[in-house]
Amino acid sequence: MAGTTVVDSFALVINHITADQRDALSRRLNSLAPGLNAAEIALIRAQAESALLEHAHLKLNRLLLLELHAAVRSGTITATDNAEQFAQFVQLATHPDFSAHLDQRYPALRPRFQQMLAAQCNAVEELATRIVADRDDFPALLGRPAGQLVSVSLGKGDLHSQGRTVARLVFEGGPLMYKPRSLRIDATLDAFLGAVFGDVPDRVGVARGIDRA
């Protein structure tokens, strides 16, 4: 019962546990129209949900597996067939009473988990808001009009600073990297290197960026 197939199947439970946060994020992203069109919002929402569910799996899979075995051993789950046992556990874990059970057994779990989800949702909303606010400046980086957002890749690096992470954004005009930190030090370094080496073509380079402090 501890095989990959069973662990992957916890998706039904994790989808249930994260549903409220994902729905709230969807509403918040929809509020950014018309700065983002419907296709762009759908793209960001899909990638955000994938990242949220991935991190939720990492946090909860072992605990849910432990709870599955505990429910079998305690007789809460009565089936003898593995597949039927798992089906019963999914019903158990998606019932409202299961949240109270987790709160009693692991008092710190849900507050910390919800805080993690909220931070990730806030970080995605912040990214989407920055796309809207900075869109007019993207041609200076791309050398052409940015056009529509066609691809988003979240989670390129560890989560830090309240759920933020590096993201790769691909527009019709080309790709951009989003870094959730000030790029002032990068700009300062590039200016220093330019002052020392001038326009020597093979000098150490720093990628062009827009610093938003």
Side-chain angles (χ1 to χ4, degrees):
M1 295 182 67
T4 301
T5 301
V6 171
V7 172
D8 289 345
S9 297
F10 286 135
L12 294 171
V13 179
I14 291 174
N15 284 349
H16 172 77
I17 292 173
T18 61
D20 289 344
Q21 291 277 16
R22 291 185 290 110
D23 289 345
L25 176 60
S26 180
R27 291 192 296 271
R28 288 152 63 184
L29 291 176
N30 287 334
S31 72
L32 295 175
L36 295 170
N37 63 39
E40 292 174 323
I41 290 172
L43 179 64
I44 295 172
R45 180 172 60 243
Q47 292 302 312
E49 289 197 355
S50 178
L52 284 169
L53 291 172
E54 178 182 352
H55 284 101
H57 271 283
L58 292 174
K59 298 293 185 184
L60 296 181
N61 269 346
R62 290 183 179 181
L63 180 142
L64 292 174
L65 188 60
L66 176 65
E67 286 297 311
L68 169 60
H69 284 292
V72 172
R73 287 179 176 272
S74 67
T76 303
I77 289 176
T78 57
T80 55
D81 176 79
N82 283 355
E84 292 180 2
Q85 287 178 345
F86 191 80
Q88 284 189 6
F89 179 74
V90 170
Q91 288 185 330
L92 176 71
T94 54
H95 190 279
D97 290 345
F98 191 68
S99 294
H101 164 75
L102 293 180
D103 289 343
Q104 182 178 20
R105 183 167 287 185
Y106 317 99
L109 172 67
R110 271 212 308 157
R112 294 181 64 180
F113 180 73
Q114 293 299 326
Q115 184 179 23
M116 180 203 77
L117 289 183
Q120 278 193 268
C121 289
N122 290 340
V124 171
E125 183 183 18
E126 179 182 79
L127 167 61
T129 301
R130 288 180 182 273
I131 292 173
V132 173
D134 297 340
R135 199 163 203 152
D136 290 342
D137 294 322
F138 292 163
L141 296 178
L142 296 170
R144 62 181 66 87
Q148 180 162 312
L149 180 67
V150 296
S151 176
V152 177
S153 180
L154 300 173
K156 298 302 180 183
D158 295 332
L159 293 179
H160 56 90
S161 187
Q162 297 298 310
R164 295 178 178 89
T165 186
V166 172
R168 186 172 188 268
L169 311 172
V170 180
F171 295 85
E172 291 172 325
L176 294 173
M177 295 301 295
Y178 167 75
K179 291 189 174 183
R181 63 170 177 80
S182 173
L183 295 179
R184 187 167 302 166
I185 190 171
D186 301 71
T188 302
L189 174 60
D190 190 54
F192 171 74
L193 293 172
V196 173
F197 297 107
D199 294 328
V200 177
D202 59 349
R203 77 168 175 86
V204 175
V206 179
R208 288 179 298 170
I210 301 172
D211 178 41
R212 286 298 181 254

